[in-house]
Amino acid sequence: MRLNLAQLKSSGPWQSAGVALPRFDTEAMSAATAKNPAWLHFGAGNIFRGFIARLQQDLLNQGLTETGIIAAETFDFDIMDKIYAPHDNLTLLVSLLPDGGMDKEIVASIPQGLRASSDFPQDMDRLREIFRSQSLQMVSYTITEKGYALRGLDGEFLPLVQTDAENGPERCVHAMSLTAALLWERFQAGGAPIALVSMDNCSHNGEKLRESVTTVAGMWAQRGHVSQAFADWLRDESQVSFPWTMIDKITPRPAQAVEEALAAAGVEDMAPIVTGKGTYIAPFVNAERPQYLVVEDSFPNGRPPLENAGVFLTDRATVNATERMKVTTCLNPLHTALAVFGCLLGYTSIAAEMGDKDLHKLAETIGYQEGLPVVTDPGILSPREFIREVLEERLPNPFIPDTPQRIATDTSQKVGIRFGETIKSYGDRAGELTAIPLAIAGWLRYLLGVDDSGAPMECSSDPMLEQLRAQLAGIKPGQRSTAMVEALAPVLSNAALFGSDLCAAGLGEKIAQMLGTMLTVPGGVRAALKEYL
C-alpha cells in the first residue's frame, strides 16, 4: 500500500492494516475548497498535520463542513516537494498509546499545498487568489515563535525585515511581510473581514502576530507602498481579528519503531527524510493522543464549528489564563527542567527520565509544590488534574519518542516565561523556591557543554548560546569558583532573559550555590538533585 489518493479507493487493505480512512468524499472536498476556500494555514509541519488538520477532518467526517485546509509553507519548501506532493497531501497519523498500541488514521483534509515565496510565482498567484476570496474566514499559523520576530537580540530590525520594508509587498520574504502583502491583496479586493490565528506555543501569540503584521504594514504606509487606510483596516479588530490561542500536543520527530510497524502492516515508502533546512520529517506523524486547543472566539467572517472537534472556544481572558497555566506552571516548566537535566545525565528519552526518582521529584516539586500555589486557574481545565495527567500519563509514555535534546532547543527564549513568571508571582517570597532555582542552575550547568560524567556534550541550538557561554567563560566543571555570585551576576540580573533580576529577587546566591555543587565532576549534577530536593 502506498499513501496516495488513488490507493485510498481500495479500502480493504487499509482496513486490514487497521488504518482508519476519511469518511468524506475527498474529491468533492477538494473542489469545494478550490471554489470557496475558508481556511488557510501557514506552517506545514507535524503539529499542523497531526493535530490541526485532524480537527478539520473530524468536522468533514461529521458532515459539518465541506472544505478542507490549504497548507502553505514559508520556510522549508522541501516539506511540500518531498512529503506533501508525493503523497497527494495526505498524512498517516499514528497516535501512540501508553500501552504500546497504535491508532492509525489517514488525514485527508488538506487538498492543496503551496510554497509561500516569490521563487514560486504560481503558488504565490494562488495565495493571492485565496486571500482575495470573500469566503476565506481564517488564516492560522504554526511557524514557531521565531517566525513572528522582526527584531534581533539587539532590538534592531532584522536585515531581512529592513529589506522587506524598502522593497514593499511585491518582493517581500519574511513570513510576517508575506502575510501583510497578502492582506493588502484582500484589502484592495474589498476588504472582507478575516481572522488571523496564531496556534504557536508561545505567550500572547495573537498579540505577537498582530504587532508584527501591523508593524510591517505601518512601515510600508510610511514609504508609500500601501495606503494608510490599509494600515488602519489592519488595526480594526472588527475587520481583522487576531485571536489568542493555547495549543498543547506533543508531536515528536518520527520514530523508527513506528516506521517499522507501518512497514510490517504493508504500508510502503514511510521512511523519514532530512530536508535541506534540517527538518526531520516523514509521510507519517507520530503523536500522543492527549491534545488541547483553546481559542478566543473572535472571527469577524465566521468560522468552522471547531467546538464539535473538541476545541474550547472562549474569551481572551480565559485563553490567557489557560495558556499561563500550561506555560508557566503545569507543563512547560516541567518539560524544560527535565530537558536540561536529561541532557546532563545522558538521557535520550523524556519518558525514561520519568523513571528516574530524582528527576521525577524535580518535576513534581516544580508543578505541585511551587507552581500550584500561584497558578492561574482558567476554569475550563483543572490545573491539578492537568499536572497529574502530565506527570502520570503523558511524559511517562514510553512510546512517545521525545528527547530532552529537542526540548532543550532555544531555552534562552523560554526561561523568562517558564520559570520567570512563577518567580515574579512569589514576589518577596521568591527566596522560598528551591526546585525552580535548581532548574535554572541546571540550565547554566548545561550551557557549559560538559555532562555529569565530565564528557563533552553538544548543546541544542539556541540564539543566545555563544553570548551566554562567553558570560560563563570563567566557570568550568571541576573548578569551584570562590566568587560564583559575582561571576553569575551579569547573567542572573538580566531581566530580559529571566523576566526579572534574579539577584534582586534574592535568588542569586542560592543559584550560585547550586551551580557550585554541580561543577564537581563526575556526579555533581546528581548530587545537587539529591541535596536540594
Side-chain angles (χ1 to χ4, degrees), residues 96-100 250 287-292 330-331 334-335 350-352 354 360 364 368 384-400:
L96 304 172
L97 310 180
D99 63 1
I250 298 174
E288 64 171 350
R289 174 171 282 178
Q291 59 186 34
Y292 299 91
C330 296
L331 173 59
L334 285 60
H335 231 176
I350 293 288
M354 294 303 290
H360 197 285
E364 276 190 326
Y368 287 127
R384 181 172 289 276
E385 172 57 24
F386 195 94
I387 294 177
R388 187 209 62 77
E389 183 185 54
V390 166
L391 290 174
E392 298 180 16
E393 299 177 23
R394 298 177 66 185
L395 298 185
N397 185 342
F399 302 99
I400 299 293

Side-chain angles (χ1 to χ4, degrees), residues 258-522:
V258 175
E259 179 190 353
E260 292 171 351
L262 293 175
V267 185
E268 302 176 53
D269 296 334
M270 288 289 105
I273 65 165
V274 179
T275 69
K277 294 288 182 66
T279 305
Y280 193 88
I281 193 168
F284 67 89
V285 172
N286 44 230
E288 64 171 350
R289 174 171 282 178
Q291 59 186 34
Y292 299 91
L293 181 59
V294 184
V295 180
E296 177 188 358
D297 197 358
S298 177
F299 292 82
N301 198 29
R303 60 168 175 79
L306 291 167
E307 62 272 24
N308 294 101
V311 177
F312 294 91
L313 276 300
T314 184
D315 56 39
R316 179 171 293 186
T318 303
V319 174
N320 189 43
T322 308
E323 188 270 341
R324 185 175 176 84
M325 178 202 77
K326 184 196 80 153
V327 173
T328 70
T329 307
C330 296
L331 173 59
N332 294 31
L334 285 60
H335 231 176
T336 295
L338 289 169
V340 295
F341 278 99
C343 294
L344 286 166
L345 295 174
Y347 283 101
T348 57
S349 161
I350 293 288
E353 286 189 70
M354 294 303 290
D356 184 310
K357 291 182 179 180
D358 295 328
L359 296 180
H360 197 285
K361 188 174 182 180
L362 173 69
E364 276 190 326
T365 305
I366 291 174
Y368 287 127
Q369 295 183 27
E370 299 187 348
L372 275 184
V374 294
V375 73
T376 302
D377 189 338
I380 61 173
L381 295 172
S382 162
R384 181 172 289 276
E385 172 57 24
F386 195 94
I387 294 177
R388 187 209 62 77
E389 183 185 54
V390 166
L391 290 174
E392 298 180 16
E393 299 177 23
R394 298 177 66 185
L395 298 185
N397 185 342
F399 302 99
I400 299 293
D402 212 1
T403 68
Q405 290 75 23
R406 183 185 80 88
I407 303 300
T409 301
D410 297 339
T411 300
S412 70
Q413 309 301 292
K414 305 168 183 174
V415 288
I417 298 296
R418 300 187 178 188
F419 301 131
E421 290 301 304
T422 295
I423 291 170
K424 285 191 288 187
S425 295
Y426 272 78
D428 294 340
R429 299 185 298 114
E432 299 173 8
L433 297 168
T434 297
I436 287 176
L438 185 63
I440 292 172
W443 177 53
L444 299 177
R445 173 66 176 79
Y446 162 88
L447 290 171
L448 304 182
V450 177
D451 69 19
D452 199 32
S453 72
M457 177 189 70
E458 183 178 353
C459 292
S460 301
S461 63
D462 189 303
M464 292 187 68
L465 182 60
E466 295 309 316
Q467 176 183 336
L468 289 166
R469 279 184 163 172
Q471 291 179 299
L472 299 172
I475 301 172
K476 300 183 184 301
Q479 298 178 4
R480 291 290 293 266
S481 171
T482 57
M484 184 71 73
V485 177
E486 291 82 357
L488 292 179
V491 176
L492 297 182
S493 62
N494 186 346
L497 183 61
F498 292 107
S500 61
D501 181 334
L502 299 188
C503 294
L507 291 173
E509 188 171 341
K510 178 177 283 190
I511 292 172
Q513 184 179 13
M514 291 171 167
L515 178 58
T517 302
M518 294 181 198
L519 292 179
T520 301
V521 289

Side-chain angles (χ1 to χ4, degrees), residues 233-255:
W233 176 73
L234 280 181
R235 291 188 174 276
D236 181 354
E237 289 217 29
S238 70
Q239 298 298 313
V240 183
S241 67
F242 296 84
W244 294 16
T245 70
M246 187 283 283
I247 190 167
D248 182 23
K249 186 180 180 73
I250 298 174
T251 53
R253 62 189 292 174

Side-chain angles (χ1 to χ4, degrees), residues 157 165-166 214-228 230-231 235:
F157 283 114
E166 298 302 326
T214 56
T215 295
V216 171
M219 291 192 294
W220 284 345
Q222 289 176 356
R223 291 164 173 79
H225 294 306
V226 300
S227 67
Q228 183 60 45
F230 168 61
R235 291 188 174 276

Side-chain angles (χ1 to χ4, degrees), residues 107-129:
V107 177
S109 59
I110 308 169
Q112 187 173 25
L114 299 168
R115 298 157 296 185
S117 167
S118 58
D119 292 337
F120 307 99
Q122 288 185 325
D123 290 27
M124 286 303 301
D125 284 345
R126 175 58 179 151
L127 283 168
R128 294 185 186 99
E129 180 184 30

